[in-house]
Amino acid sequence: MAQGFTGKILRVNLTDGTTSVEELDPVLYRRYLGGGALATYFLLKEMPPGVDPLGPDNVLVFMCSILTGTPIPGFSRYTVAAKSPLTEGFAESEAGGFWGPELKWAGFDGIIIKGKSPKPVYLWIKDGECEIRDASHIWGKTTGEAEQIIRNELGDKRIRIAQTGPGGENLVRYACILNNVKHANGRTGLGAVMGSKNLRAVAVRGTQKLPLHDEEGVRNVTRWFAQNWRDNPRQVIMHNLGTSNGVLNMNAGGILPTKNFRTGTFEHADKISGQAMVDTILIEREGCYACPVRCKRVVDVKGEYDVDPYYGGPEYETIGSLGCLCCIGDLPAIAKGSELCNKYGIDTISTGVAIAFAMECYEEGLLTKEDTGGIDLRFGNADAMLAMIEQIAFRKGLGDILAEGVARAAEKIGKGAEKFAMHVKKQELPMHEPRGKKTLILAYAVSPTGADHMENPHDGDFASRSPAMERVAPLGFIEPVEAFDLSHRKVRQFVYLQKIWSLYNSLGVCTFVAAPVYTLTFEKLIEALEAATGWKTSLWELMKVAERADTMARCFNVREGFTRDDDTLPDRIFGPLEGGALEGVGVDRDVFQEMLSCYYGMVGWDPETGVPTKARLAELELDWIELPGVEVKA
Amino acid sequence: MAQGFTGKILRVNLTDGTTSVEELDPVLYRRYLGGGALATYFLLKEMPPGVDPLGPDNVLVFMCSILTGTPIPGFSRYTVAAKSPLTEGFAESEAGGFWGPELKWAGFDGIIIKGKSPKPVYLWIKDGECEIRDASHIWGKTTGEAEQIIRNELGDKRIRIAQTGPGGENLVRYACILNNVKHANGRTGLGAVMGSKNLRAVAVRGTQKLPLHDEEGVRNVTRWFAQNWRDNPRQVIMHNLGTSNGVLNMNAGGILPTKNFRTGTFEHADKISGQAMVDTILIEREGCYACPVRCKRVVDVKGEYDVDPYYGGPEYETIGSLGCLCCIGDLPAIAKGSELCNKYGIDTISTGVAIAFAMECYEEGLLTKEDTGGIDLRFGNADAMLAMIEQIAFRKGLGDILAEGVARAAEKIGKGAEKFAMHVKKQELPMHEPRGKKTLILAYAVSPTGADHMENPHDGDFASRSPAMERVAPLGFIEPVEAFDLSHRKVRQFVYLQKIWSLYNSLGVCTFVAAPVYTLTFEKLIEALEAATGWKTSLWELMKVAERADTMARCFNVREGFTRDDDTLPDRIFGPLEGGALEGVGVDRDVFQEMLSCYYGMVGWDPETGVPTKARLAELELDWIELPGVEVKA
């Protein structure tokens, strides 16, 4: 079988400690590709609605894409999916790094994990075999410590480990999974799902050759990327300045999330920019497997804060959430916060938003020093921020409440705290401002995982005949859409881009190397897939896989009781921005509802309820999905 | 402007005898491509609903595609569109041949004709100029005579002429337009629209070079076709046996329309097959511009019937309609009928169905010799068939009634004649049997032009892993659909294939050279378009153009008052076939209605009413279409 995929799924039952290997029908790969779409397929097929996300009935799926493990840059990514302890709906998160390719070389496309181990364990997967091993001795250890212990005891330094940390063990609802202690499946609380199953880590080592249809063809795309990525100025900026390259532009545009989204302008933006990091604490640029772009940062800090380079360095989302959102302009402190989150296995976005929320509650008098254990939890207090990370990861004091996420924390705090809780579907907002990047109005509201940072709308690029627009012309984007146009044109722009993002999650490709903005054009993506598999495919077929993924995720949430009312934005976003270039700009509630109906209609869901129609389910060959008790219109 | 299109449209007002040239916004070409989609755009923009199709307010559009006029085989086609005198709804018909390329070389992508000339005229277009010339001396002449007269008086034998004939002059509701007297825009009565405008012909001569983005790229596709078409066995059969290559297989399968669709088996099938023609009357194979396949036939007959080779030879549809449908197994007689229809400019399909209808009425006693002028109008009487062609073209005797089409004729005859009238939306059924080729159930019912022969479903090819299925895999057809499966799978198969057919009508490419069955893959079509235009496009973008075309045509009919009730089939098709391999097989009415709702939903129209939704109109950038008095759902 020379097709890019191994054809094998590892199944693990942690309750009874058994494992098995399942061979998948090749048709499934073509219909669901891998990654997000294929993971969602298994969730819907094998988990009934209504299970406790932190109970043994949750199903935890790790899924690579067909192209994960090929040497083509940007395809290192894999999906983890389950029911989310944070949203109690659909959970999906991707990570790059090295673990995904290693799993493919070990002979598996994915792992489906069920049940709950009676004691802490980790999985040891090597070349087609899987062992469930005791993890009592690493329970409570930092991610770095655990990684070393596992590598040492298995006697192989090249083992790749995806794990959660103390945050996951302590069921922080936004605990994450990390591989190489710095590539995170960050969002939706998948680390807590691992923790709830007493599963600390999945260690993998593979030495098998990945079967490819056309090795020379795969090499050609690989070579093409190496030869061309430096011709893309945005790709080069990504290499030079990393993911926080846009901080100064965003600040100038009034859309740098600051002070818990009260404003979009931060007085110390220049201190936390990508350039500032290069000029101060950066010691190395790192990449994921096979990727020459090396957008990841490694920082070394000595002095007031000691930061261990082993944990990499802060991404933009971390700089935003632990930095400007908390009004902290101290890059070493942010880097320390990033290190702590990675050590403990908690999502930096939700952590930062939870702390900013607490800071606002504190400044507004809803929380006092009594609640914080004496910490002066003001905006701008870096030490307070770091202390709160510790409290959250170990569920100490106020941290125990914040570990529930801002939505639940606001409920517990009461006194109207909900108005400071910046979340959609109980997941905290990432560091992009919907009042300025208008496509995010829909992206945040309808994302099946709640507000998600992986849907970067590039509104500016679509507002003029930019190189990015040229590169999405194959989608039919033939005329610019003005950045603040909220008509059906903006909705369509989002609808098509959303498919692209879903496609990337299923292809396992990084948005930072691919169209619309970066090196890999749609043509090259298709060339890569065709070389690996031998299929003749098209952007039409791939967009339909993306529609399938989006519609399945929607069905997952519909089954769990989500309705149109859950597709909304925090109150604050409907209100005006304070200060900055977009002072006074908010989101009109009526316009929002019109956009929402238009979106539902365009994707083939009922324009009133957002429930996928029978016809759309049938078109996508998803007629097997059952939505009991829900009215599914023709 | 090096882009495959001239960028210019010729506008002609026949009422006041003026002409002008309009330059089109290049965005229009990318959004509507040309051919069917671009023609429909102009119909909707420039013609209000409710006009008399035979009055001066009808708008007659001739439209080439971007690729018409390039040397790539199969792209010779152009569209003619208007409001149909036959259906009183949307009219569109394509023809190959040589006229379309010539128009491009004359500097125009299309012609929009309005008004009505006070006297017979023809247009003379040469290299960017247009003259409206007197046609009094050719009025009443056969197409062959008219062609000679025009070429002689303009002194150029290479002039290409699209014209109607006496049938169009006499407003036969299914009069056609022919170029080179044998390439027909056959259906929906566009010849009658010409006749109603006193426009007999459009003569064209062009010597301008068509601007191309990448001439070498266009040459490459051309060369590739020349080198590869003989490797496709079906393409070779098309060359060898022509379009009637399938007669014997269809007869064996019980789906060869016979005796006015009462049965699907014809005792003399072997006498009218493609092989029979090769063995008896064929003297030459002809092609359209630049096409080496040469599927067109030229026949020479002497004896009981003299057939002039100047008019080519009968296509399958003609052999079916004038042959087996009328129980006539006499190939020379059928060839004579074909010649007469081409001479007089009437559509062979509607003509044959009208005659078969009359034959059944005669045999059943609804018509007598008194009605027929003494003709013994029995099934199988070849001389009667030929006599009726004369009567129809010149509206003599019974022919005057049959010239109205079977739906109106049945009304006039009364006595229950409607049950013998094989039409959808008043257009006569082509020679394919929906009770056997199941996709036709929808194809006939929902075609905006009424039953149409250009939507050939290839059900058999999709029922197994055939080469055709491999070639449509880029559409997402990854599993066979059993030929008699009437579930959503069959509906989806039709929905996607319908887009392909619409795309081909807009690309100007012949279904007999392209996927699913023939030489040009989707990849090559895209390569051709990209080379000509310099665009980077994709199958996604092209499928969206097709959706746009289909939705515009639907809107045209909705504006004219068509409803779900018009999307149906003749009663006979719901009933059982008599005899043959499919004896007793009919179409279940409930299943049909389910398929119809599913189809509406899949294409983004209201599943109950079939009216395009607001969201789908918005997605396709068709929000400019007005549907007054119609409920358009979100």
Side-chain angles (χ1 to χ4, degrees), chain B residues 206 439 451 535 597:
Chain B
T439 306
W535 301 341
S597 297

Side-chain angles (χ1 to χ4, degrees), chain A residues 25 27 30-31 465 473-476 478-479 488-489 492 496 499 523 530 536-541 543-544 547 598 601-602 607 615-616 618-621 623 634, chain B residues 27 30-31 465 473-476 478-479 488-489 492 496 499 523 530 536-541 543-544 547 597-598 601-602 607 615-616 618-621 623 634:
Chain A
D25 182 346
V27 165
R30 185 130 193 188
R31 186 166 289 143
R465 298 206 176 277
L475 290 174
I478 53 180
E479 284 185 308
H488 67 276
R489 289 179 194 88
R492 180 178 55 228
Y496 289 7
K499 291 188 214 297
E523 199 181 1
E530 292 190 343
K536 280 285 174 195
T537 183
S538 74
L539 195 53
W540 169 267
E541 184 180 12
M543 292 287 272
K544 288 289 163 186
E547 286 181 11
C598 184
M602 279 194 195
R616 177 53 55 112
E619 188 201 341
L620 298 172
E621 200 58 33
D623 56 310
Chain B
V27 164
R30 184 128 194 191
R31 185 165 290 142
R465 298 206 178 277
L475 290 174
I478 54 180
E479 284 184 309
H488 66 275
R489 290 179 193 87
R492 180 179 54 228
Y496 289 7
K499 292 189 214 297
E523 199 180 3
E530 292 189 344
K536 281 283 174 197
T537 184
S538 74
L539 195 53
W540 169 268
E541 184 180 12
M543 292 287 272
K544 288 291 164 185
E547 286 181 10
S597 297
C598 183
M602 280 197 195
R616 175 53 55 112
E619 187 202 342
L620 299 172
E621 199 62 32
D623 56 311

Side-chain angles (χ1 to χ4, degrees), chain B residues 438 441 482-491 591 595:
Chain B
K438 297 291 190 186
I441 293 171
E482 202 271 308
F484 274 35
D485 178 349
L486 297 182
S487 73
H488 66 275
R489 290 179 193 87
K490 182 70 76 184
V491 178
V591 170
M595 292 174 81

Side-chain angles (χ1 to χ4, degrees), chain A residues 352-419:
Chain A
V353 175
I355 294 171
F357 160 79
M359 285 175 165
E360 190 162 8
C361 287
Y362 182 83
E363 291 204 351
E364 298 291 329
L366 280 60
L367 292 174
T368 64
K369 276 198 181 163
E370 202 174 315
D371 300 305
T372 63
I375 295 169
D376 186 28
L377 199 55
R378 292 197 175 278
F379 281 114
N381 185 341
D383 290 330
M385 177 268 286
L386 295 173
M388 288 316 300
I389 292 176
E390 301 274 355
Q391 285 197 12
I392 289 168
F394 295 95
R395 281 191 172 273
K396 289 181 189 156
L398 179 62
D400 190 35
I401 292 172
L402 297 181
E404 294 288 290
V406 296
R408 291 177 183 80
E411 248 179 71
K412 286 196 180 161
I413 293 168
K415 308 172 199 168
E418 170 64 23
K419 64 178 174 290

Side-chain angles (χ1 to χ4, degrees), chain A residues 408-428:
Chain A
R408 291 177 183 80
E411 248 179 71
K412 286 196 180 161
I413 293 168
K415 308 172 199 168
E418 170 64 23
K419 64 178 174 290
F420 307 136
M422 302 304 290
H423 70 92
V424 174
K425 297 185 180 69
K426 299 191 176 129
Q427 173 155 277
E428 288 72 18

